[in-house]
C-alpha cells in the first residue's frame, strides 16, 4: 500500500528499474577508443596522477606530456602495469615478481602503465661557450 493514498499499482520490474543509469562512461570509453587514447599513471609520495596520450606513444613523448624538460632530458622509464600492481598489492611485490622494467625512449607505453621517469633536468643539452 502507498502512504500517500495513490491507488496506482507499484512499478513492476527489478527494484533498480526506476533509476536511470548514466551512459556517460560508455560515451567516454567509446570516445577514447575512437580517438586511440590511453592512460598512464605517475605516482608521488602523496599523489597519483593519470595522463592521457595517444596509443602508440613512446616513453620519451609520454614524459613530454608531463613537462617538455622531461622529454628533452629523458634517460629512462621504470614501468609496471597497473594490473600487476593491483594483483600483487605493492611495488615491492611487482619488483620481486620480475614485472617491473627499465625502458628506453622507444618503449611504446601501454594502457595502464605506471611509470617513473628518470631525466636530466638540464635537458641533456651541453653548455654553449
Amino acid at each position: 500500500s502507498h502512504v500517500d493514498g495513490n491507488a496506482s499499482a507499484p512499478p513492476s520490474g527489478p527494484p533498480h528499474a526506476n533509476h536511470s543509469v548514466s551512459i556517460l562512461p560508455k560515451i567516454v570509453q567509446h570516445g577514447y577508443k575512437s580517438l586511440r587514447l590511453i592512460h598512464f599513471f605517475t605516482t608521488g609520495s602523496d599523489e597519483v596522477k593519470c595522463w592521457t596520450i595517444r596509443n602508440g606513444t613512446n616513453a620519451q613523448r609520454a614524459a613530454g606530456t608531463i613537462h617538455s624538460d622531461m622529454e628533452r632530458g629523458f634517460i629512462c622509464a621504470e614501468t609496471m602495469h597497473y594490473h600487476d600492481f593491483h594483483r600483487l598489492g605493492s611495488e615491492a611485490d611487482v619488483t620481486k615478481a620480475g614485472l617491473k622494467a627499465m625502458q628506453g625512449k622507444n618503449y611504446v607505453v601501454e594502457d595502464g602503465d605506471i611509470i617513473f621517469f628518470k631525466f636530466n633536468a638540464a635537458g641533456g643539452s651541453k653548455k654553449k661557450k
Side-chain angles (χ1 to χ4, degrees):
S1 71
H2 294 284
V3 174
D4 65 1
N6 187 340
S8 65
S12 61
H16 64 280
N18 292 332
H19 301 285
S20 59
V21 177
S22 175
I23 63 165
L24 187 58
K26 284 186 178 184
I27 292 170
V28 171
Q29 276 184 327
H30 183 72
Y32 266 67
K33 190 173 182 176
S34 296
L35 295 170
R36 298 180 40 241
L37 299 175
I38 62 170
H39 298 99
F40 73 92
F41 302 94
T42 56
T43 62
S45 59
D46 62 345
E47 67 181 359
V48 174
K49 289 194 175 184
C50 180
W51 305 88
T52 301
I53 56 174
R54 193 165 294 265
N55 194 13
T57 300
N58 68 32
Q60 186 172 15
R61 275 280 160 107
T65 301
I66 300 168
H67 197 285
S68 59
D69 288 349
M70 292 176 76
E71 183 174 4
R72 278 195 299 277
F74 181 89
I75 296 171
C76 68
E78 280 184 19
T79 65
M80 67 179 130
H81 200 275
Y82 171 78
H83 296 295
D84 295 330
F85 177 79
H86 187 261
R87 179 173 50 87
L88 297 172
S90 73
E91 181 178 354
D93 289 336
V94 171
T95 302
K96 275 189 224 171
L99 298 171
K100 189 173 178 185
M102 288 287 205
Q103 307 287 357
K105 65 182 179 181
N106 294 322
Y107 168 73
V108 176
V109 176
E110 294 180 15
D111 192 28
D113 276 350
I114 299 170
I115 306 176
F116 176 75
F117 292 103
K118 293 185 179 183
F119 65 100
N120 178 347
S125 61
K126 295 182 179 179
K127 292 182 180 178
K128 293 183 180 180
K129 293 183 179 181

